[in-house]
Amino acid sequence: MRIRPAVAAVSLATALSALAAPAAPTSALAADRAASSDTVFSHVVVDGGKDIVLGLTTRKTVSITWTATDPDGVAASWAYLWHGPNTDDADGILPLYPPPGTCTVSATDPTTSACKVSFAVDAARDLDHNGLAGTWKVLAGAQDNTDDWTEIDAAGTARVKRLARVTVNASPEPVKKGRTITVTGKLGRANWESGSYTGYQGQAVGLQFRKKGSSTYTTLKTVTSGGAGALRTTTRAVADGYFRFVFAGTATTGPATAAGDFVDVR
């Protein structure tokens, strides 16, 4: 937390009264001043609590909402996302030039303001290496009505993830009932460094089936993606229906679901 105390003029009368009064310990005065000037940030939410999943050329608007509370009222407040070991050594900032937030003072509590900021994210412009996938932190700051300001480096968190894609192909088509169906596919994800989608190896992917006329998919088994993200498994032909692969996602990569591939069972 970083706090900049305001510079206030002291009248002669105030100074004389202070001389007449018993002196408080320096540490106690510093604590009182810090407590009176600190802004408290709460209810910090990024993009409605959803992960920020970005492909190679994804462009989207991201929002941060928060509540700022200060005994002296909030004159201005701001927030942005950053990634890295600390703010001085951050390797990513979203947005690069953070705009001020829009704040509305509570009708029932003048010390509390509800704030929001929205900004554009362009994956091709803002993400230059895959290490940026994962947890980002929210820096929140505010200036109160006495010109004191407070910044909290980690007022909240958000997940920025690489977009995943998964394909499926079930064959042969048509197939006799009871015969073996081979289901293949590939799991890939956005590689922000190469500018392409590359295979995601060693990941658990579910094989699901939906019988013709039904709206519900059932998981048949779990397959682990191989080299270059390759997926391959077999199952028995039971009835007409759709096969698909489903990937739940990881801490750095978003979920993905293939469109169902229909197999005619005769």
Side-chain angles (χ1 to χ4, degrees):
M1 177 174 68
R2 298 189 288 274
I3 302 172
R4 182 183 64 188
V7 178
V10 180
S11 67
L12 179 61
T14 302
L16 291 175
S17 62
L19 289 173
T26 302
S27 58
L29 285 173
D32 288 345
R33 287 169 181 165
S36 67
S37 64
D38 286 8
T39 303
V40 175
F41 303 97
S42 60
H43 305 99
V44 180
V45 179
V46 180
D47 230 24
K50 299 174 293 186
D51 293 336
I52 302 170
V53 183
L54 304 172
L56 300 176
T57 59
T58 304
R59 294 181 180 181
K60 67 175 300 182
T61 299
V62 173
S63 64
I64 305 175
T65 58
W66 68 98
T67 299
T69 303
D70 191 289
D72 297 311
V74 176
S77 192
W78 54 92
Y80 62 86
L81 297 173
W82 65 275
H83 181 273
N86 53 65
T87 53
D88 292 331
D89 299 310
D91 59 358
I93 293 176
L94 292 176
L96 186 58
Y97 302 102
T102 300
C103 297
T104 303
V105 179
S106 169
T108 59
D109 182 1
T111 69
T112 300
S113 293
C115 302
K116 180 177 181 178
V117 65
S118 297
F119 51 90
V121 175
D122 183 337
R125 176 195 65 197
D126 299 324
L127 304 172
D128 59 1
H129 66 92
N130 297 325
L132 292 173
T135 300
W136 288 56
K137 295 178 181 178
V138 179
L139 181 147
Q143 176 185 352
D144 70 18
N145 288 316
T146 67
D147 200 34
D148 285 349
W149 63 271
T150 304
E151 280 190 344
I152 302 296
D153 291 347
T157 60
R159 287 277 191 181
V160 176
K161 296 186 176 183
R162 297 159 66 177
L163 180 70
R165 291 177 173 176
V166 63
T167 61
V168 66
N169 181 59
S171 62
E173 304 173 55
V175 63
K176 289 185 178 180
K177 187 174 183 177
R179 293 290 182 87
T180 298
I181 295 176
T182 300
V183 187
T184 60
K186 180 178 179 179
L187 174 65
R189 59 176 175 167
N191 187 322
W192 297 327
E193 296 170 11
S194 66
S196 62
Y197 283 86
T198 53
Y200 197 9
Q201 184 176 352
Q203 301 303 308
V205 179
L207 173 65
Q208 295 186 337
F209 176 74
R210 175 171 67 87
K211 188 176 180 179
K212 181 180 179 180
S214 171
S215 60
T216 304
Y217 274 94
T218 300
T219 300
L220 302 179
K221 62 174 69 176
T222 299
V223 183
T224 300
S225 58
L231 299 166
R232 183 182 181 87
T233 189
T234 59
T235 187
R236 292 291 177 185
V238 176
D240 291 352
Y242 301 83
F243 291 92
R244 72 180 186 182
F245 283 120
V246 177
F247 173 59
T250 65
T252 60
T253 306
T257 300
D261 185 27
F262 182 76
V263 174
D264 179 13
V265 178
R266 297 179 179 177

